[in-house]
Amino acid sequence: MWGTIFNTGMILVGSALGALFKKGLGDKFQASLMQAIGLAVLLLGANTTVQAMPKSKYPVLFLASMAIGAMIGQALDLDTRFNNLMARAGGQSALAQGLSTAILLFCIGTLSIVGPMQAALNRDYTFLFTNGTLDLITAVVLASTFGFGIALAAPVLFLWQGAIYVLTLLVANAISTALLTELSVVGGILIFASGVNLLHLADVKTLNLLPALAVPPLFFIVLHFI
């Protein structure tokens, strides 16, 4: 868990630095920074998906994952629930958008998924230390636009990576490279959708799409018993 603790700490540090930097930024600079973040997120999501798709042995699985995930997410209305929670906590819609983007970036990236698995299986923290360094930079950029509230993504990341770590220990023999590939394809699409929102190209309710990440593991579980 040391890698996850490091990763979480880097988000907190980056959020604090970004919040301090925010005080010296005018509206025009913040708008430009928002566009820069949006473009970077688009590229990151597209790159993650494009790199993973050629390795996929189930080219239609990501389509089914997105469709099923969207239906489940819409039925649960996760996006509205999240925004209502932020409103009760005194948050603003801009912070809610920034925080949802931060959670997607910090949690859904390949390093954030594979890292805890490597730590659990091989005691290798390289991916998590690398991810923590990247998240430090990302947190600075996001917090300079949305404020210190981005730090709320830190405990989410800790729980996310902690859950993956524990689950990996429990089902070490059932995890395959194919599953990691499918998760990367779906995760890249979700990150891309977050970039679309930041650039105001469309109103994609990315939180309602999150259940799509649960479909590939369920698919491989079913496939194992067939």
Side-chain angles (χ1 to χ4, degrees):
M1 291 291 290
W2 289 111
T4 294
I5 293 173
F6 172 81
N7 202 161
T8 303
M10 288 299 95
I11 293 176
L12 293 173
V13 171
S15 298
L17 292 175
L20 290 175
F21 185 54
K22 177 181 174 67
K23 297 179 180 179
L25 292 178
D27 292 339
K28 292 183 179 180
F29 286 99
Q30 291 188 37
S32 297
L33 192 56
M34 176 83 75
Q35 291 180 343
I37 294 172
L39 290 171
V41 170
L42 279 178
L43 181 59
L44 179 61
N47 183 62
T48 300
T49 297
V50 169
Q51 284 189 337
M53 286 190 72
K55 304 175 185 177
S56 174
K57 297 179 180 179
Y58 309 95
V60 184
L61 180 56
F62 82 94
L63 289 172
S65 298
M66 295 302 299
I68 295 172
M71 289 189 293
I72 294 174
Q74 185 59 51
L76 297 175
D77 202 4
L78 298 177
D79 189 81
T80 299
R81 292 174 185 272
F82 178 80
N83 286 324
N84 290 340
L85 179 62
M86 290 300 302
R88 288 197 297 270
Q92 299 178 349
S93 58
L95 175 59
Q97 181 182 9
L99 187 55
S100 62
T101 299
I103 291 172
L104 288 172
L105 285 174
F106 296 150
C107 296
I108 298 178
T110 303
L111 290 174
S112 191
I113 295 173
V114 178
M117 292 181 176
Q118 287 282 10
L121 297 174
N122 306 316
R123 301 294 181 184
D124 182 359
Y125 303 104
T126 303
F127 284 173
L128 288 176
F129 288 152
T130 302
N131 195 55
T133 303
L134 293 173
D135 286 350
L136 169 66
I137 299 172
T138 304
V140 170
V141 175
L142 288 173
S144 66
T145 302
F146 299 107
F148 185 70
I150 294 300
L152 292 173
V156 176
L157 174 92
F158 183 83
L159 294 174
W160 168 257
Q161 290 188 356
I164 294 175
Y165 181 87
V166 173
L167 183 60
T168 300
L169 291 177
L170 295 175
V171 295
N173 295 328
I175 296 175
S176 64
T177 302
L179 173 57
L180 295 179
T181 297
E182 300 306 328
L183 287 174
S184 295
V185 174
V186 176
I189 294 173
L190 295 180
I191 293 175
F192 185 88
S194 184
V196 169
N197 281 341
L198 286 174
L199 292 173
H200 302 291
L201 298 177
D203 182 19
V204 182
K205 298 186 183 301
T206 50
L207 291 178
N208 282 353
L209 298 176
L210 280 181
L213 286 171
V215 177
L218 291 175
F219 170 79
F220 280 93
I221 290 174
V222 172
L223 194 64
H224 177 73
F225 290 102
I226 293 178

